[in-house]
């Protein structure tokens, strides 16, 4: 069944409802750990640019919403800009030195910055755990109930009753995990570890490829192994079971992100698959139109992506700050202001280039350039 694309106004609202809470939770991670260490915050902003709404709390922190909803920041006492660069031209008053961010030990600054991405991972764990407690979740064992004729599994000699243990070193816990892992490796050569009648074995094989369409008629490629699943087993978890399961689900999705990025870097996947804010908005609108469970699940996936991206060692991102603080801890002195300035300039240029690249990809995926070509031609 194919669904109609949601209207533009619905997509915009869905995107804001997805991104807004994630950015808030991310920045709240920075803010609360900073509060724990006694660091003062001057601004807490969701979005960039001109303020469209805001208020000042009793501690003097300005909580506000900017007009450009592509991120957020906490500006601490002593910061020159939202990227938490210290201002060398401003002398921090004596009464503010005890709450200035840049005057804290490097390990405290490290933990304050790290708290943002960790908050996103924590949010994903909470969402997954809530799903596992609220709904019956498939926990089908990764055992072959049959082998599809002519499939990669048949060619490799896999048999009914074989239990898949790992694919390319990634542990497989359920048939659902098996499907997810196989799906992102179309045409890939993988090594499968499996158990047959109590004996552990390994086999290398090349997965198949199939082009499918999602609920909105958009094509995508998946890898195929050719194992038929056993009877699905569903269970609703308790809190004690759901939290570890939510943690595993978050770790597995993070691992899949790493694998997909590796495939793009090595040329196994097209760089055209890299999407930006426009595609995120489209997906948010589509998932929201399918119902709130799909939308909330997408928020968990977005949260993991946001946490992971911010951990990349790129200046301007949290990961770039973490690298500087580790270097400071090793060298026992801060990285020079000149080096930091050049690094942040380079990081900003890289992020702007990536934003431009992903926006072009998004517009191409929407068919805009084809339509322009037909109009011009």
């Amino acid at each position: 069944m194919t669904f109609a694309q949601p209207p533009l106004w619905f997509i915009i609202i869905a995107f804001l409802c997805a991104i807004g809470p994630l950015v808030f939770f991310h920045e709240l991670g920075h803010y609360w750990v900073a509060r724990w260490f006694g660091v003062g915050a001057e601004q807490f902003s969701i979005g960039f640019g001109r303020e469209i709404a805001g208020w000042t709390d009793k501690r003097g922190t300005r909580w506000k919403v900017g007009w450009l909803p592509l991120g957020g920041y906490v500006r601490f006492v002593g910061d020159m800009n939202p990227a938490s660069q210290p201002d060398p031209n401003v002398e921090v008053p004596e009464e503010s030195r005890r709450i200035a961010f840049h005057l804290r030990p490097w390990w405290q600054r490290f933990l304050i910055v790290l708290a943002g991405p960790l908050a996103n991972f924590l949010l994903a764990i909470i969402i997954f755990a809530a799903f596992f407690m609220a709904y019956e979740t498939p926990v089908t064992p990764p055992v072959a109930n049959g082998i599809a004729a002519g499939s990669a599994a048949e060619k490799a000699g896999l048999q009914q009753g074989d239990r898949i243990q790992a694919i390319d070193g990634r542990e497989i816990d359920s048939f659902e995990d098996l499907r997810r892992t196989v799906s992102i490796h179309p045409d890939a050569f993988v090594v499968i570890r499996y158990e047959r009648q109590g004996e552990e074995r390994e086999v290398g094989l090349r997965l198949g490829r199939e082009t499918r369409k999602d609920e909105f008629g958009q094509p995508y490629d998946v890898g195929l192994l050719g194992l038929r699943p056993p009877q699905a087993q569903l269970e609703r978890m308790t809190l004690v079971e759901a939290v570890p399961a939510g943690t595993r689900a978050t770790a597995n999705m993070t691992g899949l992100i790493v694998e997909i990025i590796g495939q793009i870097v090595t040329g196994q996947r097209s760089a055209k698959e890299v999407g930006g804010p426009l595609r995120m908005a489209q997906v948010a609108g589509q998932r929201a139109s399918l119902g709130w469970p799909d939308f909330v699940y997408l928020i968990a996936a977005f949260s993991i992506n946001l946490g992971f991206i911010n951990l990349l060692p790129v200046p301007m991102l949290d990961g770039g700050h973490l690298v500087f603080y580790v270097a400071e801890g090793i060298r026992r002195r801060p990285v020079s202001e000149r080096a930091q300035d050049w690094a942040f300039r380079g990081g900003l240029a890289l992020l702007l280039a990536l934003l431009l690249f992903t926006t072009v990809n998004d517009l191409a995926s929407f068919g805009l350039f084809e339509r322009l070509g037909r109009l011009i031609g």
Side-chain angles (χ1 to χ4, degrees), residues 126-198:
I126 292 171
I127 292 175
F128 286 137
F131 266 92
F132 296 152
M133 290 189 293
Y135 299 99
E136 289 186 330
T137 307
V139 286
T140 312
V143 177
N145 192 38
I147 307 296
S151 66
E154 183 186 58
K155 294 174 184 176
L158 293 177
Q159 300 176 9
Q160 183 173 345
D162 289 346
R163 184 184 186 92
I164 308 301
Q165 297 177 322
I167 297 178
D168 273 354
R170 173 183 289 278
E171 297 297 321
I172 301 298
D173 299 319
S174 65
F175 209 93
E176 292 72 32
D177 190 21
L178 171 66
R179 280 200 184 103
R180 283 191 294 268
T181 304
V182 168
S183 68
I184 66 168
H185 293 95
D187 281 340
F189 183 85
V190 298
V191 176
I192 294 181
R193 189 176 80 242
Y194 64 98
E195 180 184 326
R196 177 182 296 168
Q197 298 177 349

Side-chain angles (χ1 to χ4, degrees), residues 152-285:
E154 183 186 58
K155 294 174 184 176
L158 293 177
Q159 300 176 9
Q160 183 173 345
D162 289 346
R163 184 184 186 92
I164 308 301
Q165 297 177 322
I167 297 178
D168 273 354
R170 173 183 289 278
E171 297 297 321
I172 301 298
D173 299 319
S174 65
F175 209 93
E176 292 72 32
D177 190 21
L178 171 66
R179 280 200 184 103
R180 283 191 294 268
T181 304
V182 168
S183 68
I184 66 168
H185 293 95
D187 281 340
F189 183 85
V190 298
V191 176
I192 294 181
R193 189 176 80 242
Y194 64 98
E195 180 184 326
R196 177 182 296 168
Q197 298 177 349
E199 180 185 353
E200 191 174 285
R201 304 184 180 193
E202 277 193 357
V203 64
L205 56 84
R206 185 167 297 280
L207 297 172
R209 175 191 291 267
E210 182 177 76
T211 299
R212 298 176 180 174
K213 291 187 177 181
D214 63 16
E215 297 92 338
F216 299 90
Q218 297 165 146
Y220 64 98
D221 290 337
V222 297
L224 295 177
L225 179 55
L227 301 184
R228 295 193 178 95
Q231 182 67 35
Q233 298 180 16
L234 303 175
E235 70 176 45
R236 184 173 295 178
M237 300 182 186
T238 65
L239 177 62
V240 174
E241 296 169 326
V243 173
T247 304
R248 287 194 299 272
T250 300
N252 288 339
M253 188 170 288
T254 304
L256 293 178
I257 293 172
V258 173
E259 286 194 44
I260 291 173
I261 291 176
Q263 291 172 357
I264 293 174
V265 171
T266 58
Q268 298 175 51
R269 282 179 177 267
S270 172
K272 294 180 180 179
E273 295 187 29
V274 180
L278 296 180
R279 194 175 304 180
M280 288 178 64
Q282 181 192 42
V283 173

Side-chain angles (χ1 to χ4, degrees), residues 91-109:
E91 182 68 26
V92 179
E94 187 61 35
E95 63 273 14
S96 299
R97 293 181 68 83
R98 63 181 181 82
I99 61 173
F101 174 78
H102 68 285
L103 297 180
R104 289 307 173 105
W106 71 269
W107 61 270
Q108 290 188 8
R109 284 175 278 141

Side-chain angles (χ1 to χ4, degrees), residues 345-359:
R345 289 172 186 265
L348 178 60
L350 177 63
L351 292 178
L352 290 176
L354 181 60
L355 178 62
L356 176 61
F357 174 75
T358 56
T359 300

Side-chain angles (χ1 to χ4, degrees), residues 327-371:
E328 181 178 341
I330 294 173
R331 301 168 70 242
R332 298 187 180 278
R333 64 180 187 276
V335 177
S336 70
E337 292 175 3
R338 181 178 177 82
Q340 290 190 51
D341 184 58
W342 279 106
F344 281 114
R345 289 172 186 265
L348 178 60
L350 177 63
L351 292 178
L352 290 176
L354 181 60
L355 178 62
L356 176 61
F357 174 75
T358 56
T359 300
V360 171
N361 271 357
D362 291 348
L363 294 174
S365 70
F366 299 156
L368 177 63
F369 299 133
E370 292 182 9
R371 296 190 189 99

